Amino acid sequence: MKTLKIFNTLSRKVEEFEPIDKNLVRIYCCGPTVYHFAHLGNFRAYINEDILVRLLRYLGYSVKHVMNITDIGHLVSDADEGEDKMILAAKRERKSVLEVAEFYTNAFFRDSQKLNIKRPDVVCKATEHIQDMIELIKRLEDKGFTYISNGNVYFDTAKLPDYGKLRGGCTCNTISRVDEDLNKRRQEDFVLWFTKSKFENHILLWDSPWGSGYPGWHIECSAMAIKHLGESIDIHCGGVDHIPVHHTNEIAQSEGATGKPFAKYWVHNEFVLFNNDKMSKSKGTIVTVSDIEEQGFNALDYRYLCLTAHYRTQLNFTMEALSSARNARKTLIHNLAKFAFEKKLDLSKVEKIQSNTLLDPICEDLNTGVALAEIWGYARSLNEENFWSVLSIDEILGLNLLESIKICLEIPQDVNDLALERQRYRQIKDFKNADLIREKLYQMGYLILDSKDDKFVILRDTV
Ligand code: AMP
Ligand code: ZN
């Protein structure tokens, strides 16, 4: 089996991946807060995680992929400040929190499907795991990691000697802010269970040993990861914004409660920028899958764009970059479709051919950009082996190449007849009429690619 090398935020090094249990790789990814449509920045995280899971499966591992749905508890700031995002959304939309959650969860999976992101094996909602969170807080309490202040239960970060090991010197954004919660002993301490709401009439409340209230945000991921994957997991993913607070606190809670290492590898994607600022809802700088579709793009154009950049570098989103990605994706598909047509390949029987030239860069810390460059090398001088290698590596890249090629080659009879008519004009050197038909076919959404020996390929242009 080939070895995957992956950058581990915890060690700050690229490491060889070795699962804890060789029979099953356990991977947890922080899922969406379902208070709004997920934006393209969020989807970079999910695309990257999808590629990692696809790669592990391609390499022969069995994988259990768990993702949570945050439908309660995520405050406007990651550090216990501001209102709950879900409750704000419910007020904004005059719906119940559960209605808001259901609506945006469905939208999230619809967009994920368009981006060809496979659904995780387990998708779990915070509101369905409150009891698990309470049990975990009780374990922390029994071990002396908590204190109660003004009715809320806090995690006492002073009790955990290696608190903050994930973020190291990185005290980015949220943690450096002046903290307004005067109930805390230390600025880094965080709420496990709220009973004293800063806002009156909190809508969602659950009974607990500490009184009626609701959980902090961080505890949900620890509780759900442990419940569905066990106390030590292989890989935990998310965006870099989660390093200083959310993931740091997940480690504190999980390792405090179990006394075991929580996640062996921490994999973080860098931000998508928009106008050189982080794409984020609070900054009003978001672009969604529907936004780009409305402008005539396919969601897979965005997936392609993500693949061109390394996941640990920032990606500046522009419409020009998206257009280039679309052109590249379409040209690649057209090249492959033309080859399949000319060689009369049977696309119902995919030949699995592993090309190390394409696979090796992905195994080197998910370097999809290099793999794409190699694919282009193949696409420029296709032979059958290269063709099937490109389709095989697409099991990992997820550009849906095979389906797109098939769509390209679906030509209705009337279109084919027109193409033949054009051919007859060309044979009698009536290029004017031949060009008129070519233009007509183009307007109908079809492309004609001529070959040297008077042959042609007709392709549907909508992919
Ligand atoms: P949230 O719903 O805010 O928890 O975000 C969902 C996922 O998207 C998390 O893994 C975040 O770290 C990630 N994320 C948020 N904004 C961006 C961005 N602009 N670029 C890349 N990833 C992001
Ligand atoms: Zn999380």
Side-chain angles (χ1 to χ4, degrees):
M1 190 189 279
K2 269 199 180 295
T3 319
L4 160 66
K5 292 197 189 129
I6 192 87
F7 183 84
N8 187 352
T9 310
L10 196 56
S11 66
R12 295 160 190 83
K13 282 199 300 254
V14 175
E15 291 180 28
E16 279 196 7
F17 175 71
E18 272 179 52
I20 298 167
D21 166 0
K22 62 179 182 318
N23 295 316
L24 185 67
V25 176
R26 296 170 172 85
I27 178 164
Y28 184 89
C29 302
C30 293
T33 306
V34 283
Y35 72 117
H36 204 273
F37 295 107
H39 56 71
L40 295 182
N42 300 136
F43 277 116
R44 185 185 199 193
Y46 304 116
I47 289 170
N48 193 51
E49 291 154 9
D50 182 54
I51 286 169
L52 178 57
V53 171
R54 284 167 178 262
L55 171 62
L56 288 164
R57 293 203 165 115
Y58 187 94
L59 294 178
Y61 292 106
S62 297
V63 180
K64 186 170 178 191
H65 177 196
V66 176
M67 188 183 79
N68 67 302
I69 300 285
T70 299
D71 53 359
I72 192 70
H74 192 172
L75 303 189
V76 168
S77 148
D78 290 351
D80 299 336
E81 289 167 48
E83 276 196 74
D84 188 302
K85 291 183 180 186
M86 292 301 300
I87 292 171
L88 271 179
K91 282 186 198 156
R92 180 186 72 221
E93 302 191 10
R94 293 175 205 279
K95 288 182 185 162
S96 72
V97 170
L98 293 181
E99 282 166 346
V100 170
E102 193 185 349
F103 178 82
Y104 289 115
T105 303
N106 291 340
F108 174 78
F109 283 112
R110 254 196 325 272
D111 287 349
S112 296
Q113 206 174 8
K114 288 177 178 166
L115 289 160
N116 207 15
I117 296 169
K118 288 196 194 267
R119 195 180 168 96
D121 304 292
V122 176
V123 174
C124 41
K125 295 182 187 169
T127 48
E128 290 174 2
H129 291 74
I130 304 292
Q131 203 49 42
D132 301 289
M133 298 181 214
I134 292 174
E135 294 303 323
L136 195 61
I137 300 169
K138 280 206 276 194
R139 277 174 85 176
L140 287 168
E141 192 173 44
D142 289 346
K143 290 192 162 188
F145 282 107
T146 64
Y147 60 90
I148 295 179
S149 178
N150 197 20
N152 294 335
V153 184
Y154 287 88
F155 187 97
D156 189 351
T157 55
K159 295 271 168 60
L160 199 69
D162 61 359
Y163 176 81
K165 63 184 171 184
L166 182 73
R167 67 173 187 236
C170 160
T171 50
C172 331
N173 50 47
T174 10
I175 205 72
S176 61
R177 291 178 43 172
V178 178
D179 200 283
E180 286 161 9
D181 186 346
L182 300 174
N183 302 316
K184 293 182 185 183
R185 292 183 187 158
R186 291 215 304 182
Q187 185 184 314
E188 286 98 332
D189 294 353
F190 56 92
V191 178
L192 298 165
W193 189 265
F194 289 95
T195 60
K196 285 280 181 328
S197 175
K198 277 179 265 176
F199 9 100
E200 295 302 310
N201 308 323
H202 196 283
I203 304 169
L204 288 180
L205 296 172
W206 289 267
D207 285 335
S208 84
W210 312 280
S212 173
Y214 55 99
W217 174 39
H218 316 300
I219 195 70
E220 70 168 88
C221 285
S222 290
M224 287 191 263
I226 291 173
K227 169 155 186 168
H228 294 286
L229 293 171
E231 296 187 344
S232 287
I233 68 174
D234 293 289
I235 307 176
H236 196 309
C237 299
V240 287
D241 52 334
H242 286 344
I243 299 171
V245 181
H246 183 51
H247 289 169
T248 286
N249 292 346
E250 273 190 52
I251 293 178
Q253 299 162 148
S254 307
E255 299 193 353
T258 69
K260 297 177 190 162
F262 177 40
K264 195 170 172 193
Y265 304 90
W266 285 85
V267 176
H268 291 104
N269 63 281
E270 255 297 348
F271 286 150
V272 174
L273 307 183
F274 188 64
N275 293 335
N276 292 312
D277 202 352
K278 183 195 165 191
M279 187 179 281
S280 102
K281 173 82 187 68
S282 58
K283 293 187 169 152
T285 51
I286 65 165
V287 183
T288 63
V289 168
S290 307
D291 290 336
I292 61 169
E293 280 183 334
E294 275 164 23
Q295 300 208 33
F297 289 95
N298 184 318
L300 292 174
D301 297 326
Y302 180 65
R303 186 170 178 118
Y304 188 101
L305 178 62
C306 287
L307 296 181
T308 60
H310 192 258
Y311 75 97
R312 286 195 292 118
T313 60
Q314 294 185 334
L315 173 64
N316 195 27
F317 178 84
T318 60
M319 280 302 170
E320 292 72 34
L322 190 63
S323 295
S324 304
R326 171 173 59 189
N327 291 344
R329 193 180 68 83
K330 279 179 125 181
T331 310
L332 176 63
I333 291 162
H334 291 164
N335 281 4
L336 294 168
K338 181 169 183 270
F339 181 80
F341 179 83
E342 285 171 348
K343 297 287 172 197
K344 299 189 172 42
L345 300 181
D346 181 356
L347 295 174
S348 64
K349 289 196 205 104
V350 173
E351 269 190 60
K352 196 166 174 171
I353 296 186
Q354 180 173 312
S355 152
N356 290 340
T357 311
L358 304 184
L359 181 59
D360 286 350
I362 311 178
C363 290
E364 283 291 329
D365 198 23
L366 310 182
N367 209 332
T368 50
V370 174
L372 268 187
E374 297 289 356
I375 286 178
W376 273 103
Y378 281 18
R380 286 193 190 98
S381 57
L382 277 170
N383 57 38
E384 279 197 37
E385 192 181 332
N386 288 349
F387 177 90
W388 292 118
S389 308
V390 172
L391 287 199
S392 299
I393 208 72
D394 195 40
E395 275 183 44
I396 304 171
L397 299 181
L399 290 170
N400 222 356
L401 295 177
L402 179 63
E403 286 313 305
S404 304
I405 293 168
K406 286 183 183 165
I407 291 170
C408 266
L409 294 173
E410 270 168 20
I411 307 299
Q413 192 58 46
D414 58 329
V415 171
N416 212 33
D417 290 347
L418 268 174
L420 288 171
E421 196 182 328
R422 170 182 173 271
Q423 189 72 347
R424 284 193 290 276
Y425 280 125
R426 276 171 64 87
Q427 278 156 357
I428 59 168
K429 304 215 176 328
D430 181 349
F431 295 112
K432 191 170 166 228
N433 274 313
D435 284 351
L436 281 175
I437 295 181
R438 174 197 279 269
E439 182 54 29
K440 183 170 177 189
L441 284 170
Y442 184 72
Q443 296 302 331
M444 290 165 73
Y446 295 88
L447 293 175
I448 291 194
L449 308 178
D450 293 310
S451 321
K452 278 187 216 127
D453 49 1
D454 208 27
K455 291 206 175 105
F456 67 91
V457 179
I458 179 151
L459 301 175
R460 204 172 129 188
D461 191 25
T462 46
V463 287

